[in-house]
Amino acid sequence: MNRLTSNPSFKAMLRQYGGLILALVALCLFFSYQHGAFFSVSNFVNIMIQVTVVAIAAFGMTYVILLGDIDLSVGSMIAVAGMVAAQCFISGFGFMSTLAITLFAGLVMGAINGMLVAKLSLPAFIVTLATMGIYRGAVSLPTQGKPARIDDEMWYIIGNEGISLQPIGIDFEIPYMVVILAVVFILNALLLSKTVFGRRTYLMGGNREAAVYSGIKVDRIRIIIFMLCGLMAAISGVILSARLGSAQVNAGQGYELDAIAAAVLGGTSLAGGAGTMVGTLLGAILIGVINNGMSLMNVEYFYQLIAKGIVIILAVYLDVRSKKART
Amino acid sequence: MSDRQTASDTLLEIRDLTRSFGPVQALRHMNLDIRPGKVHTLLGENGAGKSTLIKILSGLFPPSSGSIRFKGKAYSPASPLEATELGITTIFQELSLSRNLTVAENIYANHEPNSFGFIREKTLYDNARQLIAELDLPIDVLARVDDLSMAQRQLVEIAKGLSRPADLVIMDEPTSSLSDSEAELLFAIIEKLKARGTAIIYISHRMSEIMRISDDITIMRDGEYITTLGKEEADINKLIALMVGRSLDNVFPPRISETPTPNVTPLLEVDQLTAHGFFEDISFKVRPGEILGFFGLVGSGRSDVMKALFGLVPYTGNITIDGKAVTIRNPGEAIKLGLAFVTENRKEEGLVLSHSVGNNISMVALGYFTNSLGFLKTGLERNSALEQVRRLAIKTPNLEFTSGNLSGGNQQKIVLAKWLENKPRILILDEPTRGVDVGAKFEIYTIIRELAAQGTAILLVSSELPEVLGLSDRVIVMHKKQISADLPAENLTQEYVMTHAAGVAHAEGNSQ
């Protein structure tokens, strides 16, 4: 007998994500062949920076999709978080209190989504479609639709600087964004795969009725998960606004779709009950590689959109087919 | 039988019909002769093979072997649609109505009057009105099905079935959701159909209505044809004896412990429990180590009582555990009080089929395998699950195996294991052996006995009467949402329990 499934061995992981990793390698080889600058450490760091905002939002989305729900308001929550931060700084708050208030705003927005879904039994698709509009509209309230500058040194450092490896003799800098991505990823992966909360999320997503009969507090878990999704969106919002040095009213527009795509590419089942953070991270990186490679090749943006869509359909189809073949 | 009928007046003739699903023989050597203009009732317990027979006749699947002749010709419909076109209509128990459409739209679903694909609304509603008037049903054809009661929906279902010409109409428990007055409407329709020469295959568990409307009665048991009786040869006691008639020898493991005596303090006491529309005025006691059987026909309310005890149906009345009054509002509270509930639908309410055996077993008791930070102690969880796999002899390659790929018996044992992990004091078993093969059945019975011997109070709900009688210390019989009898199991006969369950105990007198 092997170990429990929520705790897969390296071999099992390879089997699970083999297709995704293969696609990543193939794309990397293709882009390297097309453009010499693709295959370099600095470009990979570049890709990770580009991936960070979507990947962190996608971690939150993974929980929601695991329950068989969806959160369309993620992009709007990213923008709200940026604007909350900007307004805090304008009102004279310091770095730490601004950060705390911004993340709290994410929790509140997520709680609103979660309560409406769990307590009023409204479909998550409809609730978050509505709050997508509400939150997006709310971004413009303080500035009447204009962007807001963020003048804070620490905030700027988060998005634009890194940890220098000079002291250990390497002429290289790890961007703080990538460090945050790594830490957030590890925390989410631990929460989902090693804790009771994570296990109950899987069980509830696999069969909500059975979870109810087993005494699992399904409403509470659902609300907490929408809050987690809001929190992740807020972290994405902090990073995006830090990188831009401002809060834009249309920040993060369409990111919910990239986040969903990343989770689904990573093997998260839209029916709920199956998926992992590792998969979502790989899915986000795959999307990042496609974007980056095509930009290097000077492919027009509209071609990029078409190509990305085709890759998503192809990858998910191959995944579905391989899973069918296994059972 | 042959002297009563000749080949010429037989509408449907079934000879030596067999149907197997894998190793399971659901129907064996079935014979049946249906006469035009007569009501022919199929009588048998759950699992007797009635549903299989109907599904073959309605074209859902073909028989494995045997012959069917309908109107003198070989009959083998490839689909339900073809069966209807050939003249056999089936009115199923499960409602097949679209809830957002009107009554008329539902009645003519799939054969709407139309010109070039455009529905002729006026004809549709005129035809529907005419049909409803002919059948004399109190239903507005313009009403949305969603706004109708369950009984009215059942009547619409019947009207839908009769909207096409048929020589043979099959009715599967049409009265199960009807009140007495609504059932009268159905019986009137049946009389009209008979007068027209239409034959009816009728399935019901209600003995009194069977005696009233049947012309012929065929008894089935364990997938086999037993016999066919004419109306004049049948009486209720004889039918029940034929229906249940198998011996209990060696099917049940012997009692391990003594039956608890009445002076032991009850572990669970239920007093005047009521949930309107579900059940009324339910009172009973169960002692540690006692197996209390619950028997009743489908719709008698027995499962709803169990759901209420588990906090899934709001109730009024008193529940006492260990002499202390308790309120149970949700399954979480029930579990904290030491209850466990193996439900009748293991696939819907019991298991997460797409997940591993191990994850399912630890589902309820996850709290035991957690450190203070909420992290799982996977080693502990694993060992405990392995212990259950050994104890219940669950046949699985490993703990990682997907539970949905195991047999029904093993799945049922996993559901049992997940509750035993939590060491319950009161175990509710609702149909614990449904869809489970004979070998696994015996193993599950043995486990039930062991649990009782260890002092667990057990509420055993089953529609298999031999199971209830073979395991229980006492039997509570439910009829029409109420308790109709509370009987010590010793020397209890199936016939006697059945008369209480069918609500004919008074009409027949005290036969014990």
Side-chain angles (χ1 to χ4, degrees):
Chain A
M1 291 195 195
N2 284 314
R3 302 159 69 190
L4 282 163
T5 38
S6 58
N7 207 358
S9 63
F10 179 71
K11 238 186 188 167
M13 239 173 75
L14 205 66
R15 202 171 55 221
Q16 196 172 355
Y17 304 112
L20 205 54
I21 293 169
L22 209 71
L24 264 173
V25 171
L27 278 170
C28 287
L29 285 176
F30 173 75
F31 287 131
S32 304
Y33 176 75
Q34 291 289 327
H35 199 289
F38 180 86
F39 200 82
S40 64
V41 175
S42 64
N43 191 48
F44 284 137
V45 171
N46 213 4
I47 291 174
M48 291 313 288
I49 289 174
Q50 288 168 2
V51 155
T52 301
V53 173
V54 163
I56 292 177
F59 296 151
M61 188 69 84
T62 303
Y63 293 107
V64 175
I65 295 180
L66 272 176
L67 288 191
D69 287 331
I70 201 93
D71 189 343
L72 299 176
S73 68
V74 162
S76 300
M77 291 194 287
I78 290 174
V80 171
M83 189 54 83
V84 167
Q87 294 306 314
C88 283
F89 285 126
I90 288 169
S91 313
F93 285 98
F95 172 79
M96 283 314 285
S97 36
T98 297
L99 186 63
I101 293 169
T102 304
L103 298 184
F104 184 71
L107 287 172
V108 170
M109 288 186 286
I112 293 171
N113 286 339
M115 302 265 204
L116 290 171
V117 170
K119 293 294 176 194
L120 301 187
S121 305
L122 301 175
F125 188 95
I126 301 300
V127 166
T128 58
L129 186 67
T131 56
M132 173 170 81
I134 294 170
Y135 297 157
R136 177 65 64 190
V139 179
S140 294
L141 290 178
T143 61
Q144 298 300 305
K146 291 185 206 61
R149 267 179 64 85
I150 296 177
D151 280 319
D152 183 85
E153 201 185 340
M154 288 287 284
W155 211 262
Y156 175 82
I157 288 173
I158 289 179
N160 297 282
E161 289 184 10
I163 302 170
S164 174
L165 296 183
Q166 208 84 56
I168 53 166
I170 304 166
D171 185 21
F172 189 71
E173 226 182 45
I174 302 174
Y176 284 117
M177 283 171 67
V178 175
V179 175
I180 294 171
L181 174 64
V183 171
V184 171
F185 164 71
I186 289 169
L187 289 179
N188 278 307
L190 285 177
L191 180 62
L192 190 57
S193 67
K194 303 281 182 195
T195 67
V196 192
F197 176 79
R199 177 70 66 76
R200 288 190 177 143
T201 303
Y202 280 115
L203 291 168
M204 190 181 150
N207 186 345
R208 184 171 304 163
E209 195 79 349
V212 169
Y213 276 78
S214 297
I216 293 173
K217 296 192 175 70
V218 293
D219 282 357
R220 200 169 78 176
I221 289 183
R222 226 165 161 198
I223 293 169
I224 292 174
I225 277 178
F226 272 95
M227 289 172 74
L228 269 174
C229 189
L231 178 67
M232 291 305 134
I235 295 174
S236 288
V238 168
I239 291 171
L240 187 62
S241 64
R243 184 139 186 85
L244 298 172
S246 67
Q248 305 282 338
V249 291
N250 61 353
Q253 203 141 34
Y255 279 29
E256 59 277 346
L257 299 182
D258 276 351
I260 294 169
V264 172
L265 277 174
T268 310
S269 158
L270 280 173
T276 61
M277 289 297 166
V278 181
T280 299
L281 181 64
L282 288 174
I285 292 175
L286 185 72
I287 293 175
V289 165
I290 296 169
N291 286 341
N292 174 274
M294 286 196 293
S295 296
L296 283 180
M297 285 166 62
N298 286 319
V299 178
E300 297 272 12
Y301 178 65
F302 49 85
Y303 283 123
Q304 290 192 25
L305 285 179
I306 294 171
K308 209 161 72 177
I310 292 171
V311 168
I312 289 172
I313 290 176
L314 223 107
V316 174
Y317 167 72
L318 289 175
D319 191 46
V320 168
R321 215 183 58 168
S322 73
K323 269 180 190 141
K324 238 184 219 155
R326 242 177 276 149
T327 48
Chain B
M1 201 173 89
S2 50
D3 52 312
R4 260 193 310 118
Q5 280 164 225
T6 61
S8 61
D9 65 16
T10 302
L11 177 68
L12 178 78
E13 182 190 276
I14 292 174
R15 288 290 174 271
D16 209 19
L17 204 66
T18 297
R19 169 75 205 195
S20 23
F21 298 95
V24 182
Q25 286 213 313
L27 197 64
R28 283 177 288 187
H29 310 297
M30 184 67 199
N31 294 311
L32 199 63
D33 291 281
I34 305 290
R35 300 182 286 160
K38 303 286 179 195
V39 175
H40 196 125
T41 296
L42 296 182
L43 189 61
E45 290 184 292
N46 297 342
K50 296 167 299 185
S51 299
T52 307
L53 177 60
I54 294 174
K55 283 176 181 163
I56 292 172
L57 288 177
S58 59
L60 282 168
F61 46 70
S64 304
S65 64
S67 81
I68 309 175
R69 295 185 73 76
F70 181 58
K71 292 194 278 190
K73 277 182 279 200
Y75 173 82
S76 58
S79 67
L81 187 64
E82 199 182 325
T84 325
E85 278 161 2
L86 289 169
I88 296 186
T89 288
T90 307
I91 299 165
F92 282 105
Q93 195 183 352
E94 297 90 27
L95 298 172
S96 64
L97 305 175
S98 299
R99 299 170 52 158
N100 288 317
L101 298 183
T102 63
V103 169
E105 285 166 334
N106 267 293
I107 289 177
Y108 288 100
N110 216 18
H111 61 122
E112 300 88 351
N114 67 80
S115 314
F116 309 108
F118 290 94
I119 293 173
R120 282 182 280 137
E121 293 273 334
K122 194 174 172 305
T123 320
L124 174 78
Y125 284 97
D126 286 347
N127 289 355
R129 250 180 228 113
Q130 200 188 334
L131 178 70
I132 292 286
E134 248 172 61
L135 299 176
D136 206 11
L137 297 176
I139 288 171
D140 177 8
V141 296
L142 292 169
R144 248 164 37 103
V145 167
D146 213 16
D147 299 328
L148 301 182
S149 69
M150 283 312 287
Q152 283 176 315
R153 288 181 202 179
Q154 183 66 53
L155 295 174
V156 172
E157 191 81 28
I158 291 163
K160 180 181 172 181
L162 300 179
S163 66
R164 296 182 195 231
D167 300 297
L168 172 61
V169 177
I170 302 170
M171 299 184 178
D172 188 4
E173 295 202 47
T175 54
S176 60
S177 58
L178 299 184
S179 70
D180 288 347
S181 61
E182 291 150 345
E184 288 302 326
L185 294 171
L186 174 69
F187 301 150
I189 292 171
I190 289 175
E191 283 307 317
K192 280 179 205 155
L193 289 173
K194 283 173 72 172
R196 246 191 253 168
T198 309
I200 291 151
I201 292 180
Y202 193 81
I203 294 180
S204 172
H205 288 294
R206 295 187 182 177
M207 298 308 291
S208 49
E209 73 184 36
I210 289 170
M211 292 306 293
R212 179 175 151 193
I213 67 167
S214 308
D215 296 298
D216 302 319
I217 301 169
T218 288
I219 292 110
M220 299 172 72
R221 193 199 307 147
D222 296 334
E224 256 177 309
Y225 172 82
I226 303 299
T227 185
T228 300
L229 301 174
K231 182 181 192 151
E232 61 287 345
E233 315 164 56
D235 69 68
I236 290 184
N237 288 333
K238 188 171 175 185
L239 290 176
I240 290 176
L242 282 167
M243 193 167 118
V244 296
R246 79 196 119 175
S247 74
L248 293 178
D249 304 344
N250 298 326
V251 180
F252 299 95
R255 225 168 268 276
I256 305 171
S257 55
E258 291 285 301
T259 303
T261 51
N263 53 24
V264 176
T265 319
L267 186 51
L268 170 73
E269 268 184 89
V270 172
D271 188 32
Q272 294 184 322
L273 211 63
T274 296
H276 290 291
F278 293 104
F279 51 82
E280 303 282 336
D281 200 17
I282 304 295
S283 302
F284 62 84
K285 292 172 190 176
V286 58
R287 296 176 178 78
E290 189 175 34
I291 303 177
L292 182 60
F294 277 79
F295 182 77
L297 301 175
V298 173
S300 61
R302 48 196 186 147
S303 294
D304 292 321
V305 173
M306 301 306 144
K307 283 186 183 163
L309 285 179
F310 213 64
L312 291 157
V313 172
Y315 60 85
T316 58
N318 301 315
I319 300 176
T320 313
I321 291 176
D322 281 332
K324 275 192 278 275
V326 296
T327 45
I328 302 173
R329 281 164 303 196
N330 56 54
E333 292 183 346
I335 291 167
K336 277 207 191 87
L337 289 165
L339 276 96
F341 188 10
V342 176
T343 65
E344 57 181 329
N345 307 311
R346 64 173 161 270
K347 292 192 168 162
E348 289 78 22
E349 297 147 0
L351 290 174
V352 184
L353 291 169
S354 59
H355 284 199
S356 67
V357 173
N359 280 9
N360 273 291
I361 291 179
S362 61
M363 189 165 180
V364 178
L366 271 181
Y368 288 134
F369 313 120
T370 311
N371 69 15
S372 50
L373 284 173
F375 282 84
L376 284 167
K377 300 181 196 160
T378 40
L380 202 64
E381 177 190 3
R382 204 187 141 64
N383 288 338
S384 189
L386 283 175
E387 180 59 40
Q388 293 294 351
V389 168
R390 266 192 293 271
R391 177 180 178 194
L392 303 184
I394 299 170
K395 290 177 200 77
T396 175
N398 51 46
L399 285 182
E400 289 68 41
F401 199 75
T402 306
S403 57
N405 294 340
L406 292 174
S407 73
N410 282 304
Q411 287 182 5
Q412 189 65 19
K413 285 184 189 171
I414 296 172
V415 178
L416 206 52
K418 99 172 178 180
W419 288 111
L420 296 188
E421 278 285 77
N422 210 40
K423 301 182 179 57
R425 302 172 61 216
I426 303 163
L427 177 61
I428 304 171
L429 300 165
D430 194 355
E431 303 286 359
T433 63
R434 176 180 285 177
V436 167
D437 63 82
V438 184
K441 258 186 188 179
F442 188 82
E443 290 173 7
I444 290 173
Y445 293 152
T446 310
I447 297 159
I448 295 173
R449 281 256 187 273
E450 282 171 14
L451 289 169
Q454 289 157 16
T456 312
I458 292 170
L459 304 179
L460 172 73
V461 179
S462 176
S463 51
E464 286 191 40
L465 196 40
E467 183 168 292
V468 173
L469 294 183
L471 290 174
S472 308
D473 298 308
R474 256 177 333 118
V475 179
I476 285 179
V477 188
M478 288 188 68
H479 174 66
K480 285 193 178 166
K481 327 265 183 220
Q482 284 181 320
I483 290 180
S484 59
D486 184 343
L487 312 159
E490 213 161 335
N491 302 324
L492 207 54
T493 65
Q494 300 191 39
E495 289 78 2
Y496 185 64
V497 173
M498 195 57 110
T499 54
H500 280 284
V504 291
H506 303 297
E508 294 306 305
N510 238 343
S511 58
Q512 204 184 27

